[in-house]
Amino acid sequence: MKTMYEKLGDERLGLLIDAFYDRVFDSEIIGHLFNQTNKEVIKDKQFSFISQFLGGPLRYFEKYGNPKMRMRHLPHKIDQAARDEWLKLMKEAIWTLDWDEENKTALYNCFPTLASHMMNS
């Protein structure tokens, strides 16, 4: 059985990351959490993390070390509104992909638990 990473592939993952961060940086709710860092750096970290998170190569670990995502997000206030916005923007980005609805839904369903885990206020 293929992992979600294998189904998605690098090209589609890159398109997803681009579509997602185009939305994130424009968001009035969570944009401020990201605009202190270079967009290309953030996109590379997200590409590396999601590759690994979805069962692909350990790109994040190899480049940046142990993900420890909750710890890395602690300096930022992440509440229910931020979580919901992140998920909304991810869903919108997923739906821009040229991919069947079943896989889009399965991909989106990978993220709510992760997003909830990042909440810290």
Side-chain angles (χ1 to χ4, degrees):
M1 189 169 179
K2 287 185 172 184
T3 66
M4 182 54 70
Y5 167 80
E6 290 170 322
K7 293 177 186 178
L8 184 63
D10 280 347
E11 182 178 345
R12 198 177 283 130
L13 177 55
L15 294 171
L16 172 63
I17 298 302
D18 287 342
F20 177 66
Y21 280 104
D22 286 347
R23 289 163 172 75
V24 165
F25 275 79
D26 289 339
S27 171
E28 292 182 15
I29 298 171
I30 63 173
H32 69 280
L33 297 172
F34 297 88
N35 64 15
Q36 300 300 316
T37 305
N38 178 283
K39 189 176 186 179
E40 294 307 312
V41 170
I42 290 173
K43 287 169 50 176
D44 180 64
K45 286 183 175 183
Q46 187 77 304
F47 182 88
S48 298
F49 175 75
I50 291 180
S51 295
Q52 187 169 321
F53 175 70
L54 296 177
L58 302 178
R59 291 176 172 147
Y60 192 94
F61 183 80
E62 291 167 356
K63 286 185 174 183
Y64 304 106
N66 189 317
K68 298 181 185 178
M69 285 298 150
R70 181 155 169 79
M71 182 193 75
R72 293 179 193 270
H73 287 78
L74 281 176
H76 311 287
K77 180 183 175 192
I78 302 173
D79 58 12
Q80 184 76 38
R83 172 203 176 270
D84 292 348
E85 177 76 352
W86 192 96
L87 286 170
K88 179 185 88 112
L89 299 178
M90 180 58 75
K91 187 172 191 174
E92 288 176 6
I94 290 169
W95 254 256
T96 68
L97 299 174
D98 182 19
W99 210 17
D100 64 89
E101 191 169 329
E102 182 179 338
N103 276 313
K104 288 178 184 180
T105 299
L107 176 59
Y108 174 78
N109 287 336
C110 294
F111 294 113
T113 300
L114 177 67
S116 293
H117 183 66
M118 296 303 131
M119 289 175 52
N120 57 31
S121 63

